Amino acid sequence: MVNVAKNAGFCAGVKHAVDMALELAEKYGKIYTIGQVVHNELVTKYLKEHGADVVELTALDTLKPGDVVLIRAHGLDKNLEQKLVDRGIKLFDATCPVVKKNQKIVEEESNKGNDIIIVGDKDHDEVLGLMSYAKNPIVYKESYKIEFPSKPTSVVFQTTITAEKMEEIDEYLNKLNKSQNLVVTFNTICYTTKKRQEETAELAKTNDAIIVLGSKNSANTIRLYEVAKKINQNSYFFQTIEDVKSNLNYLKDYKKVSIVAGASTPPWLIQEVNKVMSTTQKDAKLAQETEMTKEATSQEQTKEDKELTMEDLLKSNKSMGFMVYKPGKRIKGTVISATESGVFVAIDGKKDGFIDKADACLDGAYNPADFVPGAEIQAIIVAVNKDFVSLSKKEVDAKLVEEEEAEKALSAGEFELVMTEVVKGGLRGRLGKYTIFVPASQIKVGFVNNLEDYKGKKLRLMIMPPKDAKEGEEGEEKKNSRYLFASQRMILEKEKKEKEDAFWNNIHVKDIVEGKVKRFTQFGAFVSVRGFDCLAHVSELSWNKITDPSKVLNVNETYEFVVLKVERETGKISLGYKQLQKKPYEIAAEKYPIGTVVKGKVERIFPYGAFISIDDGVDGLVHVSQISHNWIKDANEALKVGQEVEAKIISFDDENRITLSIKELLPEPVVEEAPAEAAEGEEKAEEKPAKKSSRAKKFEEKVENAKPKRGAKKEEKTEEPKSWVSGSSSTNVLAEKLKALVAETAEEEKPAKKKASKKDAE
Ligand code: SF4
């Protein structure tokens, strides 16, 4: 069985540098990298072929202003960097963030005045770069060579040092440092490197043999080999596929082999070795599985083709069947293996595919164990490289999610969609695999003048039943089940109807509702209640007689109204406002307690008395007997319409009738001094009530009878006036009654008068 280590191949830092070199080369045509981007000849060759050539540190003088130069993942001497910038070189930096962090520590610690010890290879580019950030750095490779410092010292490690070596040195320094506290160490080894080393150690324990792949110039690959070899003697270091093939005679005898690779080893080398080892080994089961998977995914592939190695395939001009690797195309493939870098996939055609770990999962939680060799996989072609095809599974997953959501949206009945195109007769947008067409008439309720106004806008849509989808684009597309007609108007109309139903079902006569005054007309005010226009007639706005609604209400203000009439058939609702307000007499009752002196204007005069307006819509009656201390026969004798008078409220009965007296505000008449007998007689006369004429007595009696009695039965009251409202029918009724009484009294007096005049004549 052949297994590829999870952490095999390009690390993040190297991958970033390689990608950046390729991108810059494509953009500028030709670029230079300072030294090899990675210590691997295959990668260097590949980059050169794509326009990214190497310029050695010793040959930087050959660069010309304007040349594009890339600093690789290991970083660069900062002084050199500045010189290149000063010379007008276009400098791009692909220094790995882990190395950058190391540089920063060195610079900060050095600025503190500490000596700097760098544990690593003094000829390694990363170390050379680090040294430029310290004032007087000392580089050690082995612990026993370290001389204990005499002043505060900070120790950092080259990122590719093994974890064991770092611990060994740390321990050694700790021992020396015991009491002085002069040395502080920083763990600056690369996490990726550490993980890779730990995994290699683990695999070395559990496998029959370990194949370490990569360049012998790569420090971290050499470290991996050291780690593996220390544990498992059957550890082999190969640089190329040829190395592996030439050793197959003994490699094939190992039942369990793991492939590990340094951070600079290209993915396609790992893939090739995996393939050669898998097909060569006597692990028949895996070989068979691989063959079966291949067969399933590539029917045109011949038996002969299957036995070809990756390298053979790359070199071969022989067609494996027509396959156009078009970016964006969705393809199916079979997982060959999965490492920490990504997934190798067998696909149709001459090339194999590679899914970078960043493109493997939608949620970014890539786990190589999730990609089982032989499993079918769907991916989208992202780019076509010389030796392999870059694929993205993430994009396929995103599309699958999109399609799933599209199906959900369609089955939910209503969905939102951004309209991306204006086409003949309407708008178009994409929902998953569906094209959605919205005819112009279905965009809203009413006519759409300019379709462009809706381009890029989100509409709420529902799919139209086939019988309704008659408008818009004609032709084959209509027959396509992925071309659907949708409407926003249907949703809006449905909602309107639901809103109307809810409104009419929840409004009843006598309900108190809130309404906003929208506008006035001659006959009242239009009021919006829950979005519906209702009418409050002018006669229902005030207890007083008004003709202008603005005397009571303001436009755009909200008031409470009572519902007077609901007519769903005609869509009319009548509201009242005055019904929720106090009546003028209720206000007057509070405002004018009995005894209050009020000013008012004489409104109407009858012989029996005068009606005085004391407030808007509130009248009081001054009976003729309450006008003066002197006897007055007819109120017209003392008062005039329009005259302003002061009067005192002497009663306010349950029927809202106000009785006033002017007399009570007038001074008592002065009685002249009389002779003693006369005075005596007057005193006697004062003791007795003044003798009233029989006419006056009768009049008062009848007026008294005409007044309502407190506690009188209701039926008896129905005929009587309810209040002294100006111009009200009740006032008029009472006035008429009193008028009749006066006439009646006068008639009754007539015979007596006649008699008296006859007597006088005699
Ligand atoms: S090995 Fe670590 S430090 Fe070096 S480039 Fe890769 S990620 Fe960066």
Side-chain angles (χ1 to χ4, degrees):
M1 191 176 80
V2 178
N3 167 57
V4 176
K6 283 182 191 169
N7 300 291
F10 283 173
C11 63
V14 165
K15 184 177 181 302
H16 172 66
V18 171
D19 288 349
M20 206 166 160
L22 289 170
E23 276 168 30
L24 289 170
E26 197 178 334
K27 186 173 175 188
Y28 292 101
K30 168 93 182 170
I31 70 151
Y32 297 95
T33 64
I34 304 176
Q36 293 179 332
V37 174
V38 289
H39 292 142
N40 186 289
E41 296 74 16
L42 294 174
V43 179
T44 305
K45 187 168 166 264
Y46 181 84
L47 289 175
K48 188 175 180 182
E49 285 166 1
H50 286 78
D53 206 352
V54 174
V55 56
E56 295 299 342
L57 267 175
T58 50
L60 291 181
D61 288 347
T62 60
L63 292 172
K64 296 183 290 299
D67 279 347
V68 178
V69 176
L70 181 71
I71 301 172
R72 58 193 169 162
H74 293 151
L76 185 66
D77 181 313
K78 71 170 184 179
N79 304 313
L80 209 49
E81 201 175 318
Q82 189 54 51
K83 276 185 193 163
L84 290 173
V85 173
D86 294 344
R87 282 174 53 200
I89 307 293
K90 269 192 185 152
L91 203 57
F92 291 87
D93 190 1
T95 307
C96 170
V98 184
V99 177
K100 277 243 180 248
K101 187 181 146 212
N102 209 351
Q103 292 171 346
K104 198 165 170 249
I105 292 172
V106 170
E107 189 167 40
E108 285 173 0
E109 293 300 303
S110 183
N111 287 343
K112 279 186 203 166
N114 287 7
D115 279 349
I116 302 293
I117 289 179
I118 300 169
V119 179
D121 181 349
K122 68 177 168 42
D123 296 323
H124 193 279
D125 299 329
E126 182 192 327
V127 175
L128 291 171
L130 281 179
M131 286 169 73
S132 70
Y133 287 85
K135 289 190 183 86
N136 292 304
I138 313 165
V139 180
Y140 292 106
K141 199 169 181 183
E142 304 297 341
S143 57
Y144 63 89
K145 289 186 179 169
I146 296 178
E147 286 176 22
F148 192 74
S150 55
K151 61 177 281 205
T153 302
S154 303
V155 182
V156 296
F157 300 86
Q158 183 183 335
T159 55
T160 45
I161 288 287
T162 62
E164 287 89 348
K165 181 154 270 181
M166 185 192 75
E167 279 156 20
E168 176 196 314
I169 290 170
D170 193 39
E171 203 178 316
Y172 172 76
L173 286 169
N174 270 340
K175 268 188 206 158
L176 296 177
N177 195 29
K178 258 202 172 112
S179 52
Q180 291 95 327
N181 285 332
L182 283 176
V183 177
V184 57
T185 58
F186 291 86
N187 177 354
T188 55
I189 69 164
C190 175
Y191 176 72
T192 309
T193 308
K194 188 169 181 280
K195 257 175 81 178
R196 211 178 283 260
Q197 289 164 2
E198 283 172 358
E199 192 188 7
T200 301
E202 197 54 42
L203 291 171
K205 283 182 211 160
T206 54
N207 280 269
D208 297 334
I210 298 291
I211 293 176
V212 180
L213 283 179
S215 169
K216 288 188 175 166
N217 293 325
S218 161
N220 77 75
T221 313
I222 294 168
R223 299 280 174 276
L224 289 184
Y225 177 66
E226 286 171 0
V227 169
K229 191 76 180 172
K230 203 171 164 186
I231 298 167
N232 190 329
Q233 278 309 300
N234 302 326
S235 297
Y236 305 97
F237 197 152
F238 299 127
Q239 297 194 87
T240 63
I241 186 71
E242 284 79 18
D243 291 348
V244 177
K245 279 182 184 173
S246 58
N247 289 288
L248 281 176
N249 56 337
Y250 62 85
L251 288 174
K252 67 181 167 42
D253 294 332
Y254 293 114
K255 285 200 169 60
K256 219 173 156 196
V257 179
S258 270
I259 299 168
V260 297
S264 54
T265 310
W268 61 85
L269 176 64
I270 301 166
Q271 193 179 352
E272 284 175 48
V273 173
N274 184 26
K275 203 162 186 174
V276 168
M277 286 301 297
S278 297
T279 50
T280 306
Q281 242 199 8
K282 288 174 183 171
D283 188 343
K285 196 179 167 208
L286 180 63
Q288 192 185 358
E289 276 178 9
T290 309
E291 295 301 329
M292 283 169 67
T293 314
K294 270 290 189 189
E295 201 169 357
T297 53
S298 177
Q299 289 182 358
E300 291 176 32
Q301 196 170 350
T302 63
K303 190 171 179 298
E304 186 191 350
D305 290 333
K306 282 184 217 167
E307 285 166 1
L308 290 173
T309 65
M310 178 68 181
E311 191 185 37
D312 293 336
L313 292 173
L314 292 172
K315 284 178 181 167
S316 168
N317 288 325
K318 188 173 178 296
S319 170
M320 294 173 67
F322 182 71
M323 176 71 183
V324 178
Y325 299 115
K326 194 176 161 197
K329 184 175 179 181
R330 194 192 290 195
I331 56 163
K332 279 184 184 171
T334 310
V335 175
I336 298 170
S337 65
T339 69
E340 200 58 29
S341 310
V343 187
F344 301 96
V345 184
I347 57 172
D348 283 354
K350 286 184 177 180
K351 299 181 180 187
D352 274 1
F354 176 68
I355 305 172
D356 186 88
K357 67 177 181 183
D359 295 322
C361 303
L362 202 53
D363 58 5
Y366 171 67
N367 180 1
D370 295 341
F371 297 86
V372 182
E376 189 179 88
I377 195 165
Q378 282 194 48
I380 280 178
I381 296 174
V382 178
V384 185
N385 303 309
K386 184 169 172 268
D387 297 326
F388 65 99
V389 178
S390 282
L391 303 173
S392 171
K393 180 175 175 293
K394 194 165 84 174
E395 279 191 39
V396 171
D397 290 349
K399 277 210 180 306
L400 289 173
V401 169
E402 202 180 280
E403 280 167 17
E404 201 178 305
E405 281 171 0
E407 294 298 339
K408 259 194 227 162
L410 290 176
S411 55
E414 191 184 317
F415 56 94
E416 288 187 340
L417 188 67
V418 174
M419 296 288 105
T420 49
E421 279 179 273
V422 172
V423 292
K424 185 187 164 196
L427 302 165
R428 222 160 39 184
R430 289 285 301 177
L431 180 68
K433 63 184 179 190
Y434 299 98
T435 299
I436 306 291
F437 174 68
V438 183
S441 64
Q442 295 300 321
I443 294 171
K444 65 171 193 173
V445 181
F447 185 70
V448 171
N449 282 323
N450 187 4
L451 285 170
E452 288 291 340
D453 291 347
Y454 291 88
K455 189 177 172 184
K457 298 262 169 68
K458 199 184 267 182
L459 298 188
R460 293 165 55 212
L461 298 170
M462 63 189 286
I463 298 300
M464 291 166 74
K467 65 181 172 53
D468 294 334
K470 290 172 188 161
E471 306 170 57
E473 295 180 322
E474 299 296 331
E476 283 304 301
E477 282 180 317
K478 286 184 76 171
K479 295 176 200 159
N480 187 340
S481 61
R482 290 189 179 183
Y483 196 86
L484 303 173
F485 282 65
S487 167
Q488 178 169 252
R489 181 185 179 145
M490 287 167 84
I491 294 174
L492 298 175
E493 282 176 344
K494 188 169 135 256
E495 284 178 351
K496 188 167 174 258
K497 167 93 174 51
E498 284 168 1
K499 207 171 149 195
E500 280 175 2
D501 286 348
F503 176 77
W504 289 105
N505 293 337
N506 290 293
I507 195 155
H508 311 96
V509 171
K510 291 187 185 168
D511 280 356
I512 309 288
V513 292
E514 273 202 345
K516 190 172 185 181
V517 177
K518 298 301 234 182
R519 63 186 192 281
F520 294 137
T521 66
Q522 281 180 338
F523 45 89
F526 277 101
V527 178
S528 172
V529 175
R530 298 172 210 156
F532 283 79
D533 270 5
C534 307
L535 176 69
H537 194 270
V538 69
S539 62
E540 303 297 348
L541 296 180
S542 172
W543 290 111
N544 298 326
K545 195 172 177 188
I546 60 162
T547 52
D548 181 2
S550 68
K551 293 264 187 264
V552 179
L553 304 173
N554 290 321
V555 170
N556 284 333
E557 281 190 20
T558 301
Y559 302 88
E560 281 195 330
F561 296 88
V562 63
V563 179
L564 301 178
K565 204 160 41 167
V566 176
E567 287 178 356
R568 181 154 191 184
E569 305 69 40
T570 56
K572 286 181 183 167
I573 289 187
S574 302
L575 303 176
Y577 177 73
K578 71 179 183 186
Q579 291 77 359
L580 301 178
Q581 313 307 315
K582 282 182 178 173
K583 291 180 180 172
Y585 278 90
E586 287 168 345
I587 297 167
E590 289 166 11
K591 197 169 160 189
Y592 306 118
I594 290 172
T596 310
V597 175
V598 294
K599 275 188 180 169
K601 204 182 249 183
V602 178
E603 286 286 321
R604 299 176 307 287
I605 306 176
F606 299 93
Y608 57 84
F611 286 94
I612 313 292
S613 166
I614 60 170
D615 239 340
D616 200 9
V618 181
D619 291 346
L621 174 67
V622 183
H623 186 257
V624 68
S625 63
Q626 290 296 326
I627 293 174
S628 169
H629 289 291
N630 299 323
W631 188 82
I632 297 170
K633 183 182 168 191
D634 186 333
N636 284 298
E637 289 173 17
L639 298 170
K640 282 185 189 144
V641 171
Q643 182 182 346
E644 289 210 343
V645 293
E646 269 196 343
K648 186 176 172 183
I649 294 177
I650 56 173
S651 83
F652 205 131
D653 71 13
D654 291 347
E655 302 295 334
N656 292 328
R657 287 179 301 203
I658 301 170
T659 313
L660 305 168
S661 171
I662 295 172
K663 183 173 88 178
E664 286 198 18
L665 298 178
L666 299 175
E668 292 279 338
V670 182
V671 180
E672 275 180 31
E673 233 148 295
E677 302 98 54
E680 205 176 300
E682 277 174 15
E683 265 173 36
K684 279 178 188 168
E686 268 181 21
E687 282 168 18
K688 292 178 190 173
K691 207 176 178 183
K692 290 180 181 170
S693 74
S694 60
R695 183 187 170 200
K697 272 184 195 166
K698 272 186 183 175
F699 178 82
E700 280 178 10
E701 247 171 51
K702 289 190 178 183
V703 168
E704 203 52 44
N705 289 338
K707 281 187 185 174
K709 302 285 182 288
R710 281 182 190 253
K713 283 183 185 171
K714 212 167 183 182
E715 305 87 71
E716 290 167 359
K717 287 179 183 174
T718 51
E719 296 278 320
E720 295 187 4
K722 299 289 179 209
S723 60
W724 304 123
V725 179
S726 300
S728 74
S729 60
S730 57
T731 313
N732 294 336
V733 167
L734 186 57
E736 288 307 314
K737 274 192 171 190
L738 289 169
K739 215 182 203 175
L741 280 174
V742 172
E744 197 184 310
T745 314
E747 273 307 307
E748 283 172 8
E749 294 258 316
K750 269 181 190 170
K753 266 192 175 181
K754 271 180 191 168
K755 269 183 199 170
S757 50
K758 203 174 175 184
K759 213 176 170 183
D760 290 345
E762 280 168 5

